[in-house]
Structures are given as C-alpha cells and as structure tokens.
Amino acid sequence: MCAIHQPNLFPRLSTLAKLFAADRWIVLDDVQFARRDYQHRARLAALGDPGRQQWLTLPTHLPHGRPTLISQARLVDPGHSRRTVELLVRQYYGRSSHWGAVSEVLDAVVYALATTDCVAGIARASTVAMLGVLGWAGEVLDSSGIPARQSRSERLADLAMATGSTHYLCGTGGLRYLDPDPFDTHGIPVLPFHTPADTGDPLWQWARRSSSLWVLSEIGPGALANHLAAQRENHRLGFAS
C-alpha cells in the first residue's frame, strides 16, 4: 500500500496518519512548489493551549519563479533558518515530558539544515524522523527518480505501478480531484483515508490545523504510535471487508 504526498515540514497529524497507514511513502517532489502549502512551513501549537499557534516558516527562493518544482526550491539563508527552527521548537516544546522524542526529530532537521539548502530534503527529513520515532518501518522513495506521465492522476497511478504498489491510499484532499480511471487501468484500487471527525478528541480536532510536533509533545511517541496504529488497522479492516 502506498501513499503519495508532497514533503511537508513537521507535517500535520492528518498527513502523518496517512503515511503511517501506508507501507510506502512516495515523496512527491517533482511538482510545482506552492508558497501557501506546507513544504517550507508548519503551524506550531502551544502545549496545553493548541489554539495558540505560530507559523514556523523557512524563507525560500524559487529559482524559476512560480513554475519552480519542490525539488528545486532553496533556502534563502540556511543558517538563519536553522537558528529559527531550534529556537521556536525549543520554545514551544522544550518543557514537554516527551522532549526526548521531540528533540530526536529536531536534531534530524537541524542536521539537514546544516548540510543542504534543499527545502524538499529538509521537509522530507522532518517527516522521516517523525515516522522513525513512532516505529514506522516503511519505504521512502522520491517521485523525481521514477518515470511517470505528467497529468495529475496518471502521474500518481504510474508512480504506484512503477513501485510495485498494489493499493493507493488517498487522503480527503486528493479524493476531490482524483480520476480513478488510470488506477483502474493498472489494476490498483484507490483506498480513501480519513482521520476521525467530530470526536471531541483534541488530538484529532487539531489534526489538520497544526504540526504533529504538538501531539507528540502532549502524549509522547508510544501513545501517538498506538493511536496511528489503530487508525491503520481500522482502515485495513474496512478495505478487507
């Protein structure tokens, strides 16, 4: 089962849950960069008060203007971005009893910031580190290294087929535009993925509005992994039925 998603900096829980439910994440890094999206920014929510939020943004240069691909976007000032990330993440979550897990994710991103100015690589590193502290053992591949057609749905279907994936896990945003015909041609079922809605649980209430660093800091990696594993099993049982 594969999920195909753009690299996001410290991804939201809704994104993280979809990736955790998949066996393979294909990092969609060869599509157009969008400044209003999450490749170079994350919304940090405060411990104990998730309604208090602040954007963490990495100033980004697009060498080809608006047509710049995600893989081509570069940091304006990597040193400044590294200091900003360290300062804000520690400011928001340094008092957490689960700081050890958070700091593992932070360290991976700080290292990436010290070794590359590629925005996609830094965002990718943040997500891989987050999945790692949760015990996810899936495969990560970059779409830029896989031949595929250019139209949106055909590209996704080709990526799934080329990687040997048998199912495509699609989030609510993708379902709004996805054409299932290219997947049907390849014999790959499209499986909808939804996070819980209207449960009253703050964990899911903020799933689409804040970085998953917040919930990792609030409940820790073990509890978060259990929540995500339950969502994964619920979806797989639904698929099987």
Side-chain angles (χ1 to χ4, degrees):
M1 184 180 299
C2 77
I4 304 174
H5 203 279
Q6 298 170 5
N8 284 183
L9 180 66
F10 299 124
R12 296 168 295 165
L13 183 60
S14 55
T15 299
L16 192 69
K18 182 180 74 170
L19 301 182
F20 191 91
D23 305 302
R24 175 180 296 122
W25 172 31
I26 302 174
V27 184
L28 193 63
D29 63 349
D30 58 350
V31 295
Q32 185 174 321
F33 182 92
R35 288 197 180 275
R36 296 177 64 86
D37 214 325
Y38 294 90
Q39 292 93 44
H40 69 312
R41 62 180 189 162
R43 191 183 279 124
L44 303 182
L47 280 173
D49 184 11
R52 182 166 65 85
Q53 300 187 359
Q54 177 179 349
W55 281 108
L56 166 60
T57 303
L58 307 182
T60 298
H61 169 60
L62 305 183
H64 306 295
R66 287 191 62 186
T68 299
L69 304 181
I70 294 173
S71 60
Q72 298 168 330
R74 294 294 183 265
L75 294 178
V76 172
D77 185 342
H80 179 267
S81 290
R82 184 172 67 252
R83 292 188 293 273
T84 299
V85 167
E86 286 190 283
L87 174 66
L88 284 181
V89 173
R90 288 181 183 276
Q91 177 183 320
Y92 268 74
Y93 307 117
R95 295 178 291 103
S96 168
S97 59
H98 306 291
W99 171 248
V102 178
S103 67
E104 281 191 48
V105 179
L106 175 60
D107 288 348
V109 175
V110 169
Y111 177 80
L113 284 161
T115 55
T116 183
D117 64 350
C118 175
V119 174
I122 293 157
R124 182 188 196 275
S126 74
T127 304
V128 169
M130 182 73 73
L131 290 167
V133 300
L134 299 177
W136 184 78
E139 181 182 25
V140 182
L141 301 169
D142 297 322
S143 66
S144 54
I146 305 169
R149 288 171 290 180
Q150 292 303 304
S151 70
R152 183 178 287 182
S153 295
E154 288 178 339
R155 176 197 296 268
L156 300 179
D158 288 355
L159 291 171
M161 182 196 68
T163 56
S165 302
T166 59
H167 297 76
Y168 172 54
L169 195 61
C170 187
T172 53
L175 288 171
R176 288 195 290 268
Y177 68 76
L178 193 76
D179 177 4
D181 288 346
F183 290 89
D184 292 341
T185 299
H186 291 316
I188 299 174
V190 175
L191 308 176
F193 182 85
H194 306 278
T195 52
D198 303 323
T199 64
D201 185 341
L203 183 150
W204 298 111
Q205 180 183 350
W206 298 99
R208 305 187 68 82
R209 288 184 278 175
S210 62
S211 165
S212 49
L213 283 176
W214 170 74
V215 69
L216 178 64
S217 300
E218 288 281 6
I219 68 175
L224 179 54
N226 288 339
H227 277 284
L228 298 187
Q231 289 303 308
R232 178 179 61 201
E233 293 308 310
N234 287 343
H235 279 81
R236 295 197 178 210
L237 286 173
F239 304 152
S241 63

